[in-house]
Amino acid sequence: RSATSPRSTTPGEASVGTYADAARLENHRRVSDFVPRRLAVVALLTALGTAAIGGLVALHHIASGSASGSVAMALDLRQHGSIASWLSAMLTMWTAAAALLVYSLRRHKQSDYHGRYRIWLWTALAALGMSLCSAAPVHQLMAEQLAARTSWHLPGGMLLFWLVPLGTVLAVVLLRLVLDVRSSRLTLTALSLTVAAHVAGLVLLHTGRTAWSPTVTVMAGVGSQLTANLLLLLSITLFARHVLLDIEGRLPRRERAAAPTKPTATTTSKTTSGDTKSSGETAHRKIDPAHTTPPAPASEKVVSRRHREEADEEEQWYDSNRGNDRKGVRKSGRVEEDDEAADDEDSDDQSGGRKLSKAERKRLRRLKAQQRESEFS
């Protein structure tokens, strides 16, 4: 009998035939796949959570009158270790998980230069603290220790000893959270309802006993707190959906209104006719057509003006040194050769002045040529 030994595989080599292809990692769902993309699914999950809270409130009302001790303890809404406290702890735990998911996505946003995505880590820590306080009376133990060490006597018993510090921390986190989720209106609405439900629950539990019976007060107050935890989970889920849709490019882009621009080239002209215009006619505004050539720079105009001034000063200086006046008026259509001949004749005139050199005559002709060019331009 030949004994066959199993083939040994290296640690990096995958075992063949142990699992099917469906067990490969590329066939598994990602965590982001569990975030619902459709609002109908979100509404269905919210309805299921609301039905669970309503069922617990109804069972508390039934068990408060006829149930035995252990059953009444399990269905008591204010009892730590009951089904209501378990549900509240689970809701806040799922909220912390959703906040961590949003953090893993938001930290890759390119326009977040100030690192505002870190608020989601604080949101996850706050949700974990709320979950711990729902499962065990940690906040009450903290309030007792704070009251014993400070020896203060505040109104409301131990309420303010844990409500003031924890409420301050949660208010700061909530404010930063609102600034980050302001692009999603559904998330802002759910957060507003969350704050309203939490405040209503605290008011009903600590001030509603004078108006209603203890059973109704507990049902209304604890039911409001459970609803607030459900709304908090709903708001974080809605924003996770918003971020995923933004990453996939499925959100509608909001186009900003274009700023009004001033007209580039407008002139106000009035229509003219052969006769004199009446005073009642209105002016029409027209836009000049595009220029074929760009206008001359301002520097060239300054240079031409300077050349013209230098030519005038030079001519005055030569005229004062020669001491003779030209006879006749130079015509506008005289060409450059006539100017040169006239300059030569003037330079030969020795009466009352000195004779111009060849360089001076050449300089005078150049200045006059520059003056004519500047006048025509």
Side-chain angles (χ1 to χ4, degrees), residues 337-351:
E337 289 78 10
D338 297 337
D339 293 339
E340 185 176 355
D343 292 336
D344 293 338
E345 292 176 0
D346 292 340
S347 63
D348 295 336
D349 190 3
Q350 302 293 333
S351 59

Side-chain angles (χ1 to χ4, degrees), residues 187-326:
T187 306
L188 285 177
T189 304
L191 281 178
S192 303
L193 294 177
T194 300
V195 175
H198 265 299
V199 172
L202 288 174
V203 172
L204 289 173
L205 287 176
H206 296 280
T207 61
R209 295 180 179 179
T210 57
W212 299 309
S213 62
T215 303
V216 176
T217 302
V218 170
M219 291 170 55
V222 179
S224 297
Q225 290 184 344
L226 289 174
T227 305
N229 292 337
L230 178 62
L231 289 173
L232 181 60
L233 175 60
L234 174 64
S235 61
I236 304 300
T237 304
L238 286 174
F239 191 72
R241 170 185 175 272
H242 178 82
V243 171
L244 288 174
L245 292 180
D246 193 11
I247 293 173
E248 296 171 358
R250 297 167 57 184
L251 285 181
R253 299 295 179 182
R254 298 178 182 177
E255 297 181 357
R256 296 182 179 179
T261 57
K262 296 181 179 180
T264 55
T266 56
T267 58
T268 305
S269 62
K270 297 182 178 180
T271 57
T272 58
S273 59
D275 299 335
T276 306
K277 293 177 60 177
S278 61
S279 59
E281 293 180 353
T282 59
H284 298 279
R285 185 179 297 272
K286 68 176 182 179
I287 299 177
D288 293 339
H291 297 283
T292 56
T293 56
S299 59
E300 295 184 2
K301 297 180 180 179
V302 175
V303 172
S304 62
R305 187 183 302 112
R306 186 173 67 250
H307 289 169
R308 185 166 59 252
E309 293 175 356
E310 291 179 357
D312 294 339
E313 293 176 359
E314 194 75 17
E315 185 176 2
Q316 291 176 4
W317 183 80
Y318 283 123
D319 290 342
S320 63
N321 288 337
R322 285 198 303 266
N324 58 340
D325 298 333
R326 292 188 177 184

Side-chain angles (χ1 to χ4, degrees), residues 155-220:
M158 296 294 145
L159 175 63
L160 296 180
F161 281 100
W162 66 265
L163 183 59
V164 172
L166 295 182
T168 303
V169 174
L170 292 178
V172 173
V173 173
L174 180 64
L175 180 60
R176 293 291 304 274
L177 194 64
V178 167
L179 293 177
D180 195 71
V181 304
R182 62 182 182 273
S183 58
S184 176
R185 297 179 180 178
L186 291 176
T187 306
L188 285 177
T189 304
L191 281 178
S192 303
L193 294 177
T194 300
V195 175
H198 265 299
V199 172
L202 288 174
V203 172
L204 289 173
L205 287 176
H206 296 280
T207 61
R209 295 180 179 179
T210 57
W212 299 309
S213 62
T215 303
V216 176
T217 302
V218 170
M219 291 170 55

Side-chain angles (χ1 to χ4, degrees), residues 29-38 42 97-98 100-109 120 183-184 187 235-253:
R29 284 183 174 270
R30 297 172 296 180
V31 179
S32 58
D33 294 336
F34 293 97
V35 178
R37 300 319 197 263
R38 293 184 296 178
V42 177
L100 290 177
L101 174 62
V102 174
Y103 168 78
S104 66
L105 299 174
R106 273 282 288 106
R107 65 191 182 95
H108 297 292
K109 190 173 184 179
W120 292 101
S183 58
S184 176
T187 306
S235 61
I236 304 300
T237 304
L238 286 174
F239 191 72
R241 170 185 175 272
H242 178 82
V243 171
L244 288 174
L245 292 180
D246 193 11
I247 293 173
E248 296 171 358
R250 297 167 57 184
L251 285 181
R253 299 295 179 182

